[in-house]
Amino acid sequence: MRAVDTLSKSDGKRIDGLLFDLDDTFLTHGVLSRDAYGALWDLHDAGMKLVVVTGRPASWGELAVKQWPVDAATTENGAIAIVRDGKRIARVDPCDADERGRRREKLEALAAEIAERAPEMKPTEDRVGRISDFTWDIGEYESVPSERVDFVASIIAAHGARSSRSSVHLHATFDADDKASGTVRLLASRFGVDAGAA
């Protein structure tokens, strides 16, 4: 990875898209600033493909793709993609409905155990819009000591699930994707980008 200001003009002309995270990257303390939104429109108007890549829920991706000048979103750390489908938007989930339902039931059981064993862990405010994971607030509004986060991560692992941490949330999922693999799948299927090139 190179800093933008080290790119030559010829390097810059070869860039045809931008993948960007939300929390602590595109958003400033959780807020979409006027400058950031304007820059997004400038990139769109310059013909760049724009893809949100976030751990936030699919519902956030649906809003971004519906209302922002972006082409798609990879949400829930790579598990769920949101794409434009004509004037509408579509959710792309690699799991069928039955498998997604089974995974959701296992997540709910896991969350119930964590609520019992670590009651100080508060579910995130955005959990309602999530499909593939369950999340706890560890830094957005709550401050959770790292040893308690480690303890909850050990419970998640004991259930055969994966955990990941962002600057604001602890995630638990039974999906195998991460932001990179989910985004590569999206770029290949939606934009025809070779997986190796992606």
Side-chain angles (χ1 to χ4, degrees):
M1 186 178 299
R2 291 168 51 195
V4 171
D5 61 3
T6 67
L7 297 176
S8 68
K9 280 192 176 186
S10 62
D11 289 334
K13 288 180 180 178
R14 289 197 320 255
I15 297 172
D16 61 0
L18 176 69
L19 310 173
F20 62 97
D21 189 26
L22 294 181
D23 291 306
D24 300 324
T25 304
F26 185 65
L27 303 177
T28 304
H29 305 293
V31 175
L32 175 60
S33 71
R34 180 188 310 256
D35 288 342
Y37 196 58
L40 200 59
W41 273 104
D42 289 345
L43 292 168
H44 171 270
D45 292 346
M48 296 281 264
K49 293 290 184 205
L50 302 170
V51 179
V52 175
V53 180
T54 184
R56 289 292 185 169
S59 61
W60 281 42
E62 290 171 356
L63 178 70
V65 174
K66 183 83 171 168
Q67 296 188 347
W68 295 3
V70 299
D71 298 284
T74 302
T75 64
E76 301 185 21
N77 288 318
I80 308 293
I82 310 298
V83 297
R84 290 192 183 279
D85 187 10
K87 291 184 179 181
R88 297 177 179 255
I89 56 171
R91 184 185 301 155
V92 181
D93 185 346
C95 284
D96 64 35
D98 290 340
E99 178 59 22
R100 182 57 67 206
R102 284 189 289 275
R103 290 181 188 186
R104 194 78 226 165
E105 284 177 14
K106 292 187 338 184
L107 280 172
E108 295 298 333
L110 171 59
E113 180 177 334
I114 290 170
E116 193 174 293
R117 296 179 64 191
E120 74 279 12
M121 294 291 286
K122 306 293 184 218
T124 60
E125 289 185 350
D126 66 8
R127 71 187 175 280
V128 175
R130 292 185 176 278
I131 295 166
S132 69
D133 65 358
F134 195 97
T135 51
W136 294 267
D137 186 340
I138 61 170
E140 186 169 21
Y141 303 110
E142 304 291 327
S143 180
V144 181
S146 60
E147 62 272 5
R148 291 307 286 169
V149 177
D150 292 341
F151 172 67
V152 173
S154 73
I155 297 171
I156 293 168
H159 278 258
R162 284 185 328 104
S163 66
S164 60
R165 299 173 204 194
S166 71
S167 58
V168 293
H169 297 158
L170 173 66
H171 300 253
T173 185
F174 288 96
D175 284 61
D177 281 308
D178 57 21
K179 287 180 181 178
S181 65
T183 301
V184 167
R185 183 176 61 242
L186 170 66
L187 293 175
S189 66
R190 194 68 181 178
F191 302 110
V193 177
D194 174 75

